[in-house]
Amino acid sequence: MTAAPGRMRKNLTGVIVEVDDLVLGVLGFTREDMLGKRSTDFLHPDDHQEAFSAWVQMLGDASFSRAIQVRHRNSAGRWTGSRSRTPPTRRTPRW
């Protein structure tokens, strides 16, 4: 599965496994900088709770989808606001 434009794909524990060129260009990181890192490593600490809540809801309900406003850290250490959406999942998560 390929990440949609402007998106990153994470595994069930929130580790980034795929990131597209648009995200890399906006944030200024290389693919190697992001792959294998937790997505929260790039989120503003004040946004962790909302992002985590949306992530848990998505894992528990395959039809769940929600947009949230979050701030991502860019390679210069500044915060860039973005809208993030948890997509509906196509399968039941394996714990």
Side-chain angles (χ1 to χ4, degrees), residues 35-61:
L35 293 179
K37 306 276 188 340
R38 291 194 167 285
S39 58
T40 53
D41 292 345
F42 300 94
L43 283 180
H44 191 282
D46 291 346
D47 296 334
H48 285 196
Q49 184 60 44
E50 185 173 7
F52 181 74
S53 174
W55 180 254
V56 168
Q57 284 181 287
M58 182 214 41
L59 290 177
D61 179 355

PDB file of all heavy atoms in Angstrom, residues 35-61:
ATOM      1  N   LEU A  35      11.660   7.600   8.493  1.00  0.00           N
ATOM      2  CA  LEU A  35      11.312   6.178   8.563  1.00  0.00           C
ATOM      3  C   LEU A  35      11.867   5.538   9.831  1.00  0.00           C
ATOM      4  O   LEU A  35      13.007   5.783  10.222  1.00  0.00           O
ATOM      5  CB  LEU A  35      11.836   5.438   7.333  1.00  0.00           C
ATOM      6  CG  LEU A  35      11.185   5.801   6.009  1.00  0.00           C
ATOM      7  CD1 LEU A  35      11.821   5.009   4.870  1.00  0.00           C
ATOM      8  CD2 LEU A  35       9.682   5.573   6.048  1.00  0.00           C
ATOM      9  N   GLY A  36      11.034   4.745  10.464  1.00  0.00           N
ATOM     10  CA  GLY A  36      11.443   4.047  11.680  1.00  0.00           C
ATOM     11  C   GLY A  36      11.276   4.860  12.954  1.00  0.00           C
ATOM     12  O   GLY A  36      11.501   4.350  14.046  1.00  0.00           O
ATOM     13  N   LYS A  37      10.880   6.122  12.812  1.00  0.00           N
ATOM     14  CA  LYS A  37      10.649   6.986  13.979  1.00  0.00           C
ATOM     15  C   LYS A  37       9.164   6.985  14.319  1.00  0.00           C
ATOM     16  O   LYS A  37       8.314   6.773  13.467  1.00  0.00           O
ATOM     17  CB  LYS A  37      11.079   8.422  13.685  1.00  0.00           C
ATOM     18  CG  LYS A  37      12.498   8.585  13.203  1.00  0.00           C
ATOM     19  CD  LYS A  37      13.463   8.640  14.339  1.00  0.00           C
ATOM     20  CE  LYS A  37      14.884   8.988  13.975  1.00  0.00           C
ATOM     21  NZ  LYS A  37      15.372   8.833  12.652  1.00  0.00           N
ATOM     22  N   ARG A  38       8.841   7.260  15.550  1.00  0.00           N
ATOM     23  CA  ARG A  38       7.441   7.402  15.951  1.00  0.00           C
ATOM     24  C   ARG A  38       6.899   8.704  15.369  1.00  0.00           C
ATOM     25  O   ARG A  38       7.596   9.721  15.355  1.00  0.00           O
ATOM     26  CB  ARG A  38       7.307   7.433  17.465  1.00  0.00           C
ATOM     27  CG  ARG A  38       7.621   6.111  18.117  1.00  0.00           C
ATOM     28  CD  ARG A  38       7.134   6.122  19.554  1.00  0.00           C
ATOM     29  NE  ARG A  38       7.139   4.794  20.092  1.00  0.00           N
ATOM     30  CZ  ARG A  38       6.259   3.836  19.801  1.00  0.00           C
ATOM     31  NH1 ARG A  38       5.301   4.074  18.960  1.00  0.00           N
ATOM     32  NH2 ARG A  38       6.334   2.652  20.352  1.00  0.00           N
ATOM     33  N   SER A  39       5.668   8.670  14.948  1.00  0.00           N
ATOM     34  CA  SER A  39       5.062   9.874  14.380  1.00  0.00           C
ATOM     35  C   SER A  39       5.023  11.000  15.408  1.00  0.00           C
ATOM     36  O   SER A  39       5.147  12.174  15.053  1.00  0.00           O
ATOM     37  CB  SER A  39       3.662   9.574  13.839  1.00  0.00           C
ATOM     38  OG  SER A  39       2.832   9.062  14.855  1.00  0.00           O
ATOM     39  N   THR A  40       4.915  10.658  16.685  1.00  0.00           N
ATOM     40  CA  THR A  40       4.877  11.689  17.724  1.00  0.00           C
ATOM     41  C   THR A  40       6.216  12.408  17.878  1.00  0.00           C
ATOM     42  O   THR A  40       6.264  13.490  18.459  1.00  0.00           O
ATOM     43  CB  THR A  40       4.448  11.097  19.085  1.00  0.00           C
ATOM     44  OG1 THR A  40       5.286   9.981  19.387  1.00  0.00           O
ATOM     45  CG2 THR A  40       2.989  10.685  19.060  1.00  0.00           C
ATOM     46  N   ASP A  41       7.290  11.832  17.346  1.00  0.00           N
ATOM     47  CA  ASP A  41       8.584  12.514  17.374  1.00  0.00           C
ATOM     48  C   ASP A  41       8.534  13.821  16.583  1.00  0.00           C
ATOM     49  O   ASP A  41       9.381  14.690  16.777  1.00  0.00           O
ATOM     50  CB  ASP A  41       9.695  11.631  16.804  1.00  0.00           C
ATOM     51  CG  ASP A  41      10.018  10.432  17.673  1.00  0.00           C
ATOM     52  OD1 ASP A  41       9.604  10.422  18.848  1.00  0.00           O
ATOM     53  OD2 ASP A  41      10.677   9.514  17.163  1.00  0.00           O
ATOM     54  N   PHE A  42       7.563  13.938  15.683  1.00  0.00           N
ATOM     55  CA  PHE A  42       7.453  15.104  14.820  1.00  0.00           C
ATOM     56  C   PHE A  42       6.255  15.985  15.169  1.00  0.00           C
ATOM     57  O   PHE A  42       6.000  16.971  14.490  1.00  0.00           O
ATOM     58  CB  PHE A  42       7.367  14.657  13.353  1.00  0.00           C
ATOM     59  CG  PHE A  42       8.580  13.865  12.931  1.00  0.00           C
ATOM     60  CD1 PHE A  42       8.573  12.483  12.993  1.00  0.00           C
ATOM     61  CD2 PHE A  42       9.731  14.506  12.497  1.00  0.00           C
ATOM     62  CE1 PHE A  42       9.692  11.746  12.629  1.00  0.00           C
ATOM     63  CE2 PHE A  42      10.852  13.785  12.137  1.00  0.00           C
ATOM     64  CZ  PHE A  42      10.833  12.400  12.199  1.00  0.00           C
ATOM     65  N   LEU A  43       5.503  15.614  16.204  1.00  0.00           N
ATOM     66  CA  LEU A  43       4.321  16.379  16.615  1.00  0.00           C
ATOM     67  C   LEU A  43       4.632  17.273  17.807  1.00  0.00           C
ATOM     68  O   LEU A  43       5.394  16.892  18.690  1.00  0.00           O
ATOM     69  CB  LEU A  43       3.182  15.438  17.026  1.00  0.00           C
ATOM     70  CG  LEU A  43       2.400  14.752  15.939  1.00  0.00           C
ATOM     71  CD1 LEU A  43       1.318  13.863  16.563  1.00  0.00           C
ATOM     72  CD2 LEU A  43       1.795  15.731  14.969  1.00  0.00           C
ATOM     73  N   HIS A  44       3.986  18.420  17.838  1.00  0.00           N
ATOM     74  CA  HIS A  44       4.113  19.328  18.990  1.00  0.00           C
ATOM     75  C   HIS A  44       3.585  18.586  20.226  1.00  0.00           C
ATOM     76  O   HIS A  44       2.555  17.915  20.162  1.00  0.00           O
ATOM     77  CB  HIS A  44       3.285  20.587  18.736  1.00  0.00           C
ATOM     78  CG  HIS A  44       3.547  21.672  19.708  1.00  0.00           C
ATOM     79  ND1 HIS A  44       3.017  21.655  20.983  1.00  0.00           N
ATOM     80  CD2 HIS A  44       4.292  22.796  19.615  1.00  0.00           C
ATOM     81  CE1 HIS A  44       3.418  22.728  21.628  1.00  0.00           C
ATOM     82  NE2 HIS A  44       4.195  23.445  20.816  1.00  0.00           N
ATOM     83  N   PRO A  45       4.276  18.692  21.357  1.00  0.00           N
ATOM     84  CA  PRO A  45       3.840  17.986  22.565  1.00  0.00           C
ATOM     85  C   PRO A  45       2.389  18.283  22.955  1.00  0.00           C
ATOM     86  O   PRO A  45       1.691  17.395  23.456  1.00  0.00           O
ATOM     87  CB  PRO A  45       4.809  18.475  23.640  1.00  0.00           C
ATOM     88  CG  PRO A  45       6.034  18.867  22.892  1.00  0.00           C
ATOM     89  CD  PRO A  45       5.549  19.404  21.566  1.00  0.00           C
ATOM     90  N   ASP A  46       1.920  19.490  22.717  1.00  0.00           N
ATOM     91  CA  ASP A  46       0.539  19.828  23.065  1.00  0.00           C
ATOM     92  C   ASP A  46      -0.485  19.132  22.172  1.00  0.00           C
ATOM     93  O   ASP A  46      -1.673  19.114  22.490  1.00  0.00           O
ATOM     94  CB  ASP A  46       0.313  21.341  22.988  1.00  0.00           C
ATOM     95  CG  ASP A  46       1.057  22.095  24.074  1.00  0.00           C
ATOM     96  OD1 ASP A  46       1.531  21.453  25.049  1.00  0.00           O
ATOM     97  OD2 ASP A  46       1.197  23.324  23.944  1.00  0.00           O
ATOM     98  N   ASP A  47      -0.045  18.563  21.058  1.00  0.00           N
ATOM     99  CA  ASP A  47      -0.947  17.884  20.118  1.00  0.00           C
ATOM    100  C   ASP A  47      -0.948  16.365  20.289  1.00  0.00           C
ATOM    101  O   ASP A  47      -1.731  15.667  19.649  1.00  0.00           O
ATOM    102  CB  ASP A  47      -0.570  18.223  18.672  1.00  0.00           C
ATOM    103  CG  ASP A  47      -0.736  19.693  18.370  1.00  0.00           C
ATOM    104  OD1 ASP A  47      -1.549  20.357  19.031  1.00  0.00           O
ATOM    105  OD2 ASP A  47      -0.034  20.194  17.454  1.00  0.00           O
ATOM    106  N   HIS A  48      -0.082  15.849  21.152  1.00  0.00           N
ATOM    107  CA  HIS A  48       0.020  14.393  21.324  1.00  0.00           C
ATOM    108  C   HIS A  48      -1.289  13.753  21.761  1.00  0.00           C
ATOM    109  O   HIS A  48      -1.697  12.725  21.221  1.00  0.00           O
ATOM    110  CB  HIS A  48       1.114  14.042  22.333  1.00  0.00           C
ATOM    111  CG  HIS A  48       2.492  14.188  21.794  1.00  0.00           C
ATOM    112  ND1 HIS A  48       3.572  13.626  22.412  1.00  0.00           N
ATOM    113  CD2 HIS A  48       2.980  14.838  20.714  1.00  0.00           C
ATOM    114  CE1 HIS A  48       4.665  13.918  21.734  1.00  0.00           C
ATOM    115  NE2 HIS A  48       4.332  14.661  20.702  1.00  0.00           N
ATOM    116  N   GLN A  49      -1.964  14.338  22.744  1.00  0.00           N
ATOM    117  CA  GLN A  49      -3.174  13.723  23.286  1.00  0.00           C
ATOM    118  C   GLN A  49      -4.265  13.608  22.229  1.00  0.00           C
ATOM    119  O   GLN A  49      -4.907  12.563  22.096  1.00  0.00           O
ATOM    120  CB  GLN A  49      -3.685  14.496  24.500  1.00  0.00           C
ATOM    121  CG  GLN A  49      -4.884  13.844  25.167  1.00  0.00           C
ATOM    122  CD  GLN A  49      -4.575  12.438  25.669  1.00  0.00           C
ATOM    123  OE1 GLN A  49      -3.528  12.192  26.259  1.00  0.00           O
ATOM    124  NE2 GLN A  49      -5.475  11.508  25.426  1.00  0.00           N
ATOM    125  N   GLU A  50      -4.508  14.679  21.489  1.00  0.00           N
ATOM    126  CA  GLU A  50      -5.550  14.633  20.462  1.00  0.00           C
ATOM    127  C   GLU A  50      -5.205  13.634  19.356  1.00  0.00           C
ATOM    128  O   GLU A  50      -6.046  12.867  18.908  1.00  0.00           O
ATOM    129  CB  GLU A  50      -5.785  16.016  19.862  1.00  0.00           C
ATOM    130  CG  GLU A  50      -6.941  16.013  18.884  1.00  0.00           C
ATOM    131  CD  GLU A  50      -7.313  17.388  18.387  1.00  0.00           C
ATOM    132  OE1 GLU A  50      -6.613  18.362  18.687  1.00  0.00           O
ATOM    133  OE2 GLU A  50      -8.325  17.462  17.690  1.00  0.00           O
ATOM    134  N   ALA A  51      -3.944  13.625  18.939  1.00  0.00           N
ATOM    135  CA  ALA A  51      -3.516  12.682  17.896  1.00  0.00           C
ATOM    136  C   ALA A  51      -3.625  11.246  18.397  1.00  0.00           C
ATOM    137  O   ALA A  51      -4.090  10.356  17.674  1.00  0.00           O
ATOM    138  CB  ALA A  51      -2.087  12.996  17.463  1.00  0.00           C
ATOM    139  N   PHE A  52      -3.221  11.003  19.638  1.00  0.00           N
ATOM    140  CA  PHE A  52      -3.305   9.658  20.212  1.00  0.00           C
ATOM    141  C   PHE A  52      -4.756   9.203  20.314  1.00  0.00           C
ATOM    142  O   PHE A  52      -5.086   8.067  19.982  1.00  0.00           O
ATOM    143  CB  PHE A  52      -2.627   9.627  21.584  1.00  0.00           C
ATOM    144  CG  PHE A  52      -2.659   8.274  22.225  1.00  0.00           C
ATOM    145  CD1 PHE A  52      -1.850   7.249  21.772  1.00  0.00           C
ATOM    146  CD2 PHE A  52      -3.516   8.016  23.285  1.00  0.00           C
ATOM    147  CE1 PHE A  52      -1.887   5.989  22.354  1.00  0.00           C
ATOM    148  CE2 PHE A  52      -3.552   6.763  23.878  1.00  0.00           C
ATOM    149  CZ  PHE A  52      -2.735   5.749  23.411  1.00  0.00           C
ATOM    150  N   SER A  53      -5.629  10.091  20.747  1.00  0.00           N
ATOM    151  CA  SER A  53      -7.051   9.762  20.869  1.00  0.00           C
ATOM    152  C   SER A  53      -7.635   9.360  19.515  1.00  0.00           C
ATOM    153  O   SER A  53      -8.356   8.362  19.405  1.00  0.00           O
ATOM    154  CB  SER A  53      -7.805  10.956  21.443  1.00  0.00           C
ATOM    155  OG  SER A  53      -9.185  10.715  21.445  1.00  0.00           O
ATOM    156  N   ALA A  54      -7.329  10.126  18.481  1.00  0.00           N
ATOM    157  CA  ALA A  54      -7.827   9.802  17.134  1.00  0.00           C
ATOM    158  C   ALA A  54      -7.255   8.470  16.656  1.00  0.00           C
ATOM    159  O   ALA A  54      -7.955   7.662  16.047  1.00  0.00           O
ATOM    160  CB  ALA A  54      -7.481  10.927  16.159  1.00  0.00           C
ATOM    161  N   TRP A  55      -5.983   8.219  16.956  1.00  0.00           N
ATOM    162  CA  TRP A  55      -5.318   6.971  16.541  1.00  0.00           C
ATOM    163  C   TRP A  55      -5.973   5.757  17.205  1.00  0.00           C
ATOM    164  O   TRP A  55      -6.292   4.773  16.552  1.00  0.00           O
ATOM    165  CB  TRP A  55      -3.838   7.054  16.912  1.00  0.00           C
ATOM    166  CG  TRP A  55      -3.019   5.861  16.550  1.00  0.00           C
ATOM    167  CD1 TRP A  55      -2.536   4.924  17.404  1.00  0.00           C
ATOM    168  CD2 TRP A  55      -2.585   5.473  15.248  1.00  0.00           C
ATOM    169  NE1 TRP A  55      -1.827   3.981  16.726  1.00  0.00           N
ATOM    170  CE2 TRP A  55      -1.839   4.290  15.394  1.00  0.00           C
ATOM    171  CE3 TRP A  55      -2.760   6.005  13.984  1.00  0.00           C
ATOM    172  CZ2 TRP A  55      -1.266   3.637  14.320  1.00  0.00           C
ATOM    173  CZ3 TRP A  55      -2.189   5.352  12.911  1.00  0.00           C
ATOM    174  CH2 TRP A  55      -1.449   4.188  13.078  1.00  0.00           C
ATOM    175  N   VAL A  56      -6.225   5.853  18.501  1.00  0.00           N
ATOM    176  CA  VAL A  56      -6.845   4.740  19.229  1.00  0.00           C
ATOM    177  C   VAL A  56      -8.264   4.491  18.712  1.00  0.00           C
ATOM    178  O   VAL A  56      -8.666   3.342  18.530  1.00  0.00           O
ATOM    179  CB  VAL A  56      -6.834   5.012  20.754  1.00  0.00           C
ATOM    180  CG1 VAL A  56      -7.712   4.026  21.502  1.00  0.00           C
ATOM    181  CG2 VAL A  56      -5.411   4.969  21.278  1.00  0.00           C
ATOM    182  N   GLN A  57      -9.013   5.557  18.476  1.00  0.00           N
ATOM    183  CA  GLN A  57     -10.369   5.393  17.938  1.00  0.00           C
ATOM    184  C   GLN A  57     -10.326   4.719  16.572  1.00  0.00           C
ATOM    185  O   GLN A  57     -11.138   3.845  16.275  1.00  0.00           O
ATOM    186  CB  GLN A  57     -11.079   6.739  17.835  1.00  0.00           C
ATOM    187  CG  GLN A  57     -11.550   7.257  19.166  1.00  0.00           C
ATOM    188  CD  GLN A  57     -12.264   8.579  19.007  1.00  0.00           C
ATOM    189  OE1 GLN A  57     -11.634   9.599  18.761  1.00  0.00           O
ATOM    190  NE2 GLN A  57     -13.573   8.557  19.128  1.00  0.00           N
ATOM    191  N   MET A  58      -9.381   5.111  15.723  1.00  0.00           N
ATOM    192  CA  MET A  58      -9.266   4.518  14.396  1.00  0.00           C
ATOM    193  C   MET A  58      -8.935   3.030  14.491  1.00  0.00           C
ATOM    194  O   MET A  58      -9.495   2.218  13.766  1.00  0.00           O
ATOM    195  CB  MET A  58      -8.196   5.238  13.580  1.00  0.00           C
ATOM    196  CG  MET A  58      -8.085   4.685  12.177  1.00  0.00           C
ATOM    197  SD  MET A  58      -6.450   4.673  11.413  1.00  0.00           S
ATOM    198  CE  MET A  58      -5.333   4.195  12.663  1.00  0.00           C
ATOM    199  N   LEU A  59      -8.050   2.668  15.411  1.00  0.00           N
ATOM    200  CA  LEU A  59      -7.677   1.256  15.547  1.00  0.00           C
ATOM    201  C   LEU A  59      -8.838   0.416  16.056  1.00  0.00           C
ATOM    202  O   LEU A  59      -8.953  -0.758  15.717  1.00  0.00           O
ATOM    203  CB  LEU A  59      -6.477   1.112  16.490  1.00  0.00           C
ATOM    204  CG  LEU A  59      -5.152   1.639  15.955  1.00  0.00           C
ATOM    205  CD1 LEU A  59      -4.078   1.504  17.035  1.00  0.00           C
ATOM    206  CD2 LEU A  59      -4.735   0.923  14.694  1.00  0.00           C
ATOM    207  N   GLY A  60      -9.715   1.015  16.862  1.00  0.00           N
ATOM    208  CA  GLY A  60     -10.832   0.275  17.438  1.00  0.00           C
ATOM    209  C   GLY A  60     -12.067   0.225  16.570  1.00  0.00           C
ATOM    210  O   GLY A  60     -12.949  -0.599  16.796  1.00  0.00           O
ATOM    211  N   ASP A  61     -12.166   1.091  15.575  1.00  0.00           N
ATOM    212  CA  ASP A  61     -13.364   1.159  14.733  1.00  0.00           C
ATOM    213  C   ASP A  61     -12.933   1.356  13.290  1.00  0.00           C
ATOM    214  O   ASP A  61     -12.481   2.433  12.899  1.00  0.00           O
ATOM    215  CB  ASP A  61     -14.248   2.322  15.191  1.00  0.00           C
ATOM    216  CG  ASP A  61     -15.510   2.492  14.364  1.00  0.00           C
ATOM    217  OD1 ASP A  61     -15.689   1.766  13.360  1.00  0.00           O
ATOM    218  OD2 ASP A  61     -16.316   3.362  14.720  1.00  0.00           O
TER     219      ASP A  61
END
